[in-house]
Amino acid sequence: MAVANKARLVVLASGNGSNFQAIIDACESARLDAEMVLLVVNRPDAYALERAQKHGIPSSLIDHKDYPDRESFDAALAKTIDEARPDWIIMAGFMRILTDGFVERFRGRLINIHPSLLPKYPGMNTHARALEAGDLKHGATVHFVTPTVDAGPPIVQGRLEILDNDDVESLKQRIHGVEHRLYPLAIDWLVKGKIDFERAQKQTRPAAVDASGTLIVPTPP
Ligand code: GRF
């Protein structure tokens, strides 16, 4: 397929960007029929910027500290995103609460990855909360973004068993491994039209893969 026909991805990140890296790798190895057109970060020290540079991906820093309120930051962010003409806007560790207006503007094209089996543990410290609760399973969820944080329709979950000797650090690392397989898979499904916002809303049980990436709950037919 010609480059011009590839799905255009914009990634929003605030920090390390290991999920951004996993998506870059999937694009470069053609496992994902998509093109990374822009990285946007809101922090000048985000390591994701170096990853973009290394791979020749354009990047833009929109520092939230330069804006008086959420509305003006989100307006600048939306303008930058629109200029890149993305098909999908991918939040990968983007540590900003977005205004309802921003989320509605990109509804159905804006996705996020969260380190828990949503609806369990929205918000922070998900690994510690899963361990404290004595859960047997933990995981990550890729979902469409809606105005309520971490509550939009799930696209796919990656599940793993919590081990007896897991602590927050080991669990975090293993969840990252799951995320790096899960995010490219979810984007592949979106690009191929296997799932969209409406179908995701109708899933009574989110599609899911296990820690090895094997599909254990399929997408709706
Ligand atoms: C991931 O755990 C993701 O689920 C959460 O933020 C973290 C980002 O990690 N939203 P990285 O920057 O992609 O390494």
Side-chain angles (χ1 to χ4, degrees):
M1 191 185 276
V3 168
N5 294 332
K6 283 182 184 276
R8 296 171 65 83
L9 312 181
V10 166
V11 166
L12 313 181
S14 300
N16 180 20
S18 69
N19 279 285
F20 171 51
Q21 184 72 56
I23 300 164
I24 295 173
D25 293 346
C27 290
E28 288 186 352
S29 67
R31 274 180 291 133
L32 192 53
D33 195 15
E35 184 191 3
M36 189 68 75
V37 295
L38 180 68
L39 166 75
V40 184
V41 298
N42 66 314
R43 296 175 53 113
D45 59 352
Y47 183 68
L49 282 171
E50 287 184 37
R51 298 183 190 270
Q53 198 181 18
K54 213 179 265 177
H55 290 267
I57 295 163
S59 60
S60 176
L61 165 65
I62 305 179
D63 191 336
H64 58 274
K65 292 192 185 134
D66 294 339
Y67 295 83
D69 50 35
R70 287 194 189 279
E71 282 70 23
S72 54
F73 172 80
D74 282 7
L77 182 60
K79 185 168 178 283
T80 300
I81 291 172
D82 279 341
E83 282 166 5
R85 296 179 292 106
D87 295 296
W88 307 103
I89 303 113
I90 296 158
M91 295 170 66
F94 190 59
M95 303 304 284
R96 290 287 301 172
I97 302 219
L98 297 162
T99 55
D100 291 5
F102 179 95
V103 170
E104 290 301 344
R105 178 187 183 132
F106 295 111
R107 183 192 167 95
R109 294 197 293 141
L110 179 63
I111 65 171
N112 181 43
I113 190 161
H114 181 75
S116 80
L117 295 171
L118 290 172
K120 271 191 162 184
Y121 314 130
M124 308 292 284
N125 304 321
T126 58
H127 313 305
R129 286 154 75 196
L131 286 170
E132 271 160 32
D135 289 356
L136 300 177
K137 285 188 191 327
H138 190 39
T141 305
V142 179
H143 64 94
F144 285 104
V145 177
T146 54
T148 309
V149 174
D150 300 331
I155 296 166
V156 61
Q157 297 190 319
R159 298 190 199 152
L160 56 71
E161 314 270 334
I162 295 182
L163 306 175
D164 286 345
N165 58 354
D166 262 327
D167 56 20
V168 168
E169 220 21 69
S170 66
L171 202 48
K172 189 174 168 185
Q173 269 191 27
R174 294 201 298 123
I175 291 290
H176 258 110
V178 169
E179 290 186 335
H180 299 160
R181 279 190 291 274
L182 194 68
Y183 225 170
L185 174 72
I187 298 165
D188 181 55
W189 287 1
L190 291 170
V191 165
K192 290 182 175 154
K194 286 190 181 173
I195 195 153
D196 58 20
F197 189 90
E198 281 68 33
R199 286 170 72 192
Q201 264 182 324
K202 284 185 202 143
Q203 294 196 106
T204 43
R205 260 181 101 198
V209 293
D210 67 15
S212 70
T214 305
L215 194 64
I216 46 177
V217 182
T219 45

